[in-house]
Coordinates of all heavy atoms in Angstrom, one line a residue:
Chain B
I1 N 84.8 89.4 88.3 CA 85.4 90.6 88.6 C 84.4 91.6 89.0 O 83.4 91.8 88.3 CB 86.2 91.2 87.5 CG1 87.4 90.3 87.1 CG2 86.8 92.6 87.8 CD1 88.2 90.8 85.9
L2 N 84.5 92.2 90.2 CA 83.6 93.2 90.7 C 83.7 94.5 89.9 O 84.7 94.9 89.5 CB 83.9 93.5 92.2 CG 83.4 92.5 93.2 CD1 83.8 93.1 94.6 CD2 81.9 92.2 93.1
F21 N 74.2 112.1 92.1 CA 74.8 111.1 91.2 C 74.7 109.7 91.8 O 74.5 109.6 93.0 CB 76.3 111.4 90.7 CG 76.9 112.5 91.5 CD1 77.8 112.2 92.5 CD2 76.7 113.8 91.2 CE1 78.5 113.1 93.2 CE2 77.4 114.8 91.8 CZ 78.3 114.5 92.9
S24 N 76.5 102.3 91.3 CA 75.9 101.0 91.2 C 77.0 99.9 91.4 O 78.1 100.0 91.0 CB 75.3 100.8 89.8 OG 74.3 101.8 89.5
L33 N 80.4 100.4 101.6 CA 80.6 101.4 100.4 C 81.2 102.6 101.0 O 80.7 103.2 102.0 CB 79.3 101.7 99.7 CG 79.4 102.4 98.5 CD1 79.7 101.5 97.3 CD2 78.2 103.3 98.2
N53 N 71.8 98.4 104.8 CA 70.9 98.7 103.9 C 69.9 99.8 104.4 O 69.5 99.7 105.6 CB 70.0 97.4 103.5 CG 69.0 97.7 102.4 OD1 69.3 98.4 101.4 ND2 67.8 97.2 102.6
D55 N 70.9 102.8 105.0 CA 71.7 103.8 105.6 C 71.6 105.1 104.9 O 71.4 105.2 103.7 CB 73.2 103.4 105.5 CG 73.9 103.4 106.8 OD1 73.2 103.6 107.8 OD2 75.1 103.0 106.8
K57 N 73.4 109.0 105.3 CA 74.5 109.8 106.0 C 74.5 111.2 105.4 O 74.1 111.5 104.3 CB 75.9 109.2 105.7 CG 76.1 107.8 106.2 CD 76.8 107.6 107.4 CE 77.0 106.2 107.8 NZ 77.8 105.9 109.0
K69 N 70.3 95.9 98.7 CA 69.5 94.9 98.0 C 69.5 95.1 96.5 O 69.6 94.1 95.8 CB 68.1 94.7 98.6 CG 68.1 94.3 100.1 CD 66.7 94.2 100.6 CE 66.7 93.7 102.1 NZ 65.4 93.6 102.7
Y72 N 72.7 100.0 94.8 CA 73.1 101.3 94.4 C 73.2 102.2 95.6 O 72.7 102.0 96.7 CB 72.1 101.9 93.4 CG 70.7 102.0 93.9 CD1 70.3 103.2 94.7 CD2 69.7 101.1 93.7 CE1 69.1 103.3 95.2 CE2 68.4 101.1 94.2 CZ 68.1 102.4 94.9 OH 66.8 102.5 95.4
S73 N 73.9 103.3 95.5 CA 74.0 104.4 96.4 C 73.9 105.7 95.7 O 74.4 105.9 94.5 CB 75.3 104.3 97.2 OG 75.5 105.4 98.1
K78 N 73.2 119.6 98.1 CA 72.2 120.5 98.1 C 72.8 122.0 97.9 O 73.8 122.3 98.6 CB 71.4 120.5 99.4 CG 70.2 121.4 99.5 CD 69.5 121.2 100.8 CE 68.4 122.2 101.0 NZ 67.7 122.0 102.3
L89 N 84.1 109.9 94.1 CA 84.4 108.5 93.9 C 83.6 107.7 94.8 O 83.5 108.0 96.1 CB 85.9 108.3 94.1 CG 86.9 108.9 93.1 CD1 88.3 108.9 93.7 CD2 86.8 108.3 91.8
C90 N 83.0 106.6 94.4 CA 82.5 105.6 95.3 C 83.4 104.3 95.2 O 84.0 104.1 94.1 CB 81.1 105.3 95.1 SG 80.7 104.4 93.6
Y94 N 85.7 95.2 99.2 CA 85.7 93.8 98.8 C 86.6 93.0 99.8 O 87.8 93.2 99.8 CB 86.2 93.7 97.4 CG 86.2 92.3 96.8 CD1 85.0 91.5 96.9 CD2 87.3 91.8 96.2 CE1 85.0 90.2 96.3 CE2 87.3 90.5 95.6 CZ 86.1 89.8 95.7 OH 86.1 88.5 95.1
Q96 N 87.9 90.1 100.0 CA 89.1 89.3 99.6 C 90.2 90.2 99.2 O 90.1 91.0 98.3 CB 88.8 88.5 98.3 CG 88.1 87.1 98.7 CD 88.2 86.1 97.6 OE1 88.9 86.4 96.6 NE2 87.5 85.0 97.7
F102 N 87.1 100.8 93.2 CA 86.6 102.2 92.8 C 85.9 102.2 91.6 O 86.2 101.5 90.6 CB 87.8 103.2 92.8 CG 88.3 103.6 94.2 CD1 89.2 102.9 94.9 CD2 87.8 104.7 94.7 CE1 89.7 103.3 96.1 CE2 88.3 105.2 95.9 CZ 89.2 104.5 96.6
G103 N 84.9 103.1 91.6 CA 84.2 103.4 90.3 C 85.1 104.5 89.6 O 86.1 104.9 90.1

Side-chain angles (χ1 to χ4, degrees):
Chain B
I1 297 176
L2 286 180
F21 14 97
S24 303
L33 189 87
N53 186 43
D55 237 358
K57 301 258 182 175
K69 292 184 180 177
Y72 64 84
S73 176
K78 186 177 178 182
L89 297 166
C90 71
Y94 181 50
Q96 276 196 10
F102 281 86

